[in-house]
Amino acid sequence: MNMKTIATIVGARPQFIKASVVSRALRARPTVREVIIHTGQHYDFAMNEVFFEELELPAPDYWLGIGSGTHGEQTGRMLEAIEKVLVEIQPDWVLVYGDTNSTLAGALAAAKMHLPVAHVEAGLRSFNRRMPEEINRVLTDHLSTLLFAPTETAMKNLQREGIPAKHIALVGDVMYDAALHYAEKARQKSTILERLRLSPGGYILATIHRAENTDAPERLRVILDALAQLSHHAPVVVPLHPRTRQRLQSFGIAVGDPDGLSFIDPVGYLDMVQLESHAAVIITDSGGVQKEAFFYRVPCVTVREETEWVELVELGWNRLAPPISIDSIVETVLAVQGTSGREGNIYGVGDAAQRIADYLSKR
């Protein structure tokens, strides 16, 4: 039996979610051996172990423990450490996800060793090169041998950039697979609504973590002031990303103490699914949360100038509210509350992980 070794590289929460469903599909194939390499990009316990446990993702075979740093420092240290592991295991495929520094470092290390790279969530474009995520996803796509596009738009982006059709596979979105798989488990196991005394459909959920917002004091202040104002209309719950907490402290940004605004520690995946699926509105700058809001048919407001998930804006489930005006964010959130967008089957039918596993096991 001809065994194939697939090196899966992860480092951040969204990648754990995506990898969980693909890993399950890969490990069901007797001719595939998966080796999980965790860069340690997210090193807080709540950002790591709890996700692995809840998602039933096997413990990493390699934990690189890179931690935080500037983009160049972090990516460089990852590149060096990943290369050593790839030299040791000599995989048939290197599988990377999304658009983080772990994604680019994994793809670059593999490409320099002439190992084929497969990129899950290929072809996303915000067309804003100031975003580090945009740089990561563009470079990773052009280093990859096999590009798994989640949507028609993503596939067209790759074709416009001159990537041959034979290297692109339209498979659907693995996060939709995860949403289908874990929604019922979350309903059965999560008690976060009871713990926080939240009523289904009676609160606003907000997540803020992107560097463009957290590293700019004026933007971060606008977002926090908007959340404080919105808390007079409905309770606002903010699972606070470690980066955001640190920036609030270093910038000396205080929000006062509105009764309806609650900052909580990062939550596990099942708790997050419960919070997302029962919110009245979701406010975010996360790509993954934008999609999850759509999966659960919750209106979403994205506090950015653009989004890589343009289909959600076109369908009316997502609205952009750049964090340059408190009033515009508040007005947009209040306007979308209780509304619905148009239906559309844009992310496949929930079999993306199986299709990815098929491609990797047969090529």
Side-chain angles (χ1 to χ4, degrees):
M1 187 164 51
N2 185 23
M3 290 289 291
K4 283 198 172 177
T5 298
I6 296 173
T8 293
I9 297 176
V10 294
R13 284 169 60 133
Q15 293 168 334
F16 306 155
I17 299 167
K18 297 162 194 168
S20 70
V21 289
V22 177
S23 176
R24 188 175 298 110
L26 288 174
R27 288 167 187 261
R29 285 160 169 74
T31 59
V32 172
R33 167 181 173 250
E34 184 189 31
V35 178
I36 297 178
I37 303 167
H38 188 334
T39 65
Q41 179 172 334
H42 279 176
Y43 53 93
D44 179 270
F45 175 81
M47 305 286 281
N48 272 283
E49 282 86 347
V50 68
F51 261 52
F52 274 75
E53 292 167 10
E54 291 183 344
L55 295 168
E56 300 166 346
L57 186 61
D61 299 281
Y62 294 86
W63 172 277
L64 305 184
I66 301 300
S68 62
T70 65
H71 285 290
E73 176 188 11
Q74 189 181 61
T75 307
R77 290 168 61 204
M78 287 178 184
L79 180 60
E80 180 181 11
I82 290 168
E83 183 182 60
K84 290 178 181 176
V85 176
L86 296 182
V87 167
E88 178 184 336
I89 64 176
Q90 290 294 319
D92 296 285
W93 283 98
V94 175
L95 183 61
V96 296
Y97 293 83
D99 55 20
T100 70
N101 289 340
S102 298
T103 312
L104 177 58
L108 194 54
K112 285 180 175 290
M113 292 176 60
H114 309 293
L115 295 172
V117 177
H119 185 201
V120 175
E121 230 177 48
L124 301 190
R125 297 293 182 267
S126 68
F127 302 103
N128 177 3
R129 290 292 179 95
R130 292 182 60 83
M131 291 176 60
E133 295 88 354
E134 183 79 350
I135 300 298
N136 290 343
R137 62 175 75 106
V138 170
L139 292 177
T140 299
D141 282 342
H142 286 268
L143 290 168
S144 296
T145 304
L146 189 51
L147 299 103
F148 295 120
T151 64
E152 293 273 1
T153 301
M155 186 172 67
K156 290 174 183 175
N157 287 338
L158 295 170
Q159 291 171 337
R160 275 197 298 269
E161 292 175 13
I163 293 176
K166 66 180 181 179
H167 294 304
I168 306 169
L170 177 61
V171 295
D173 196 307
V174 293
M175 286 193 72
Y176 184 45
D177 293 25
L180 294 175
H181 184 82
Y182 292 109
E184 182 57 34
K185 186 177 179 183
R187 279 192 290 271
Q188 293 174 358
K189 294 200 170 185
S190 173
T191 60
I192 194 162
L193 298 187
E194 293 82 356
R195 297 199 308 270
L196 298 179
R197 298 180 181 178
L198 297 172
S199 301
Y203 62 92
I204 296 167
L205 175 67
T207 75
I208 306 299
H209 80 281
R210 287 205 182 251
E212 65 196 82
N213 287 330
T214 59
D215 292 356
E218 63 284 356
R219 291 170 71 94
L220 191 54
R221 189 172 283 108
V222 164
I223 293 169
L224 270 293
D225 286 346
L227 296 180
Q229 284 196 24
L230 286 164
S231 71
H232 298 301
H233 297 270
V236 177
V237 179
V238 188
L240 205 54
H241 192 284
R243 176 198 286 142
T244 310
R245 186 183 295 278
Q246 192 276 330
R247 294 298 188 273
L248 287 172
Q249 293 171 349
S250 63
F251 295 148
I253 296 176
V255 190
D257 191 23
D259 289 339
L261 181 57
S262 302
F263 295 101
I264 63 174
D265 289 334
V267 297
Y269 181 58
L270 299 182
D271 281 346
M272 192 62 179
V273 167
Q274 278 295 88
L275 287 172
E276 289 172 338
S277 60
H278 290 94
V281 182
I282 294 174
I283 303 167
T284 191
D285 58 10
S286 160
V289 174
Q290 291 173 53
K291 284 189 298 176
E292 287 169 337
F294 171 71
F295 298 155
Y296 305 122
R297 299 305 190 262
V298 174
C300 182
V301 173
T302 299
V303 283
R304 287 166 48 188
E305 277 79 6
E306 71 289 302
T307 176
E308 56 275 24
W309 298 106
V310 293
E311 301 91 348
L312 300 178
V313 176
E314 292 167 355
L315 287 175
W317 286 100
N318 189 7
R319 294 197 196 179
L320 299 176
I324 54 178
S325 162
I326 297 169
D327 289 344
S328 69
I329 295 176
V330 171
E331 289 167 6
T332 304
V333 171
L334 295 179
V336 303
Q337 193 166 354
T339 66
S340 296
R342 300 190 312 280
E343 288 300 319
N345 183 23
I346 53 178
Y347 295 117
V349 296
D351 65 348
Q354 293 295 337
R355 297 179 71 182
I356 288 168
D358 284 342
Y359 273 104
L360 293 176
S361 61
K362 293 174 181 175
R363 293 182 63 159

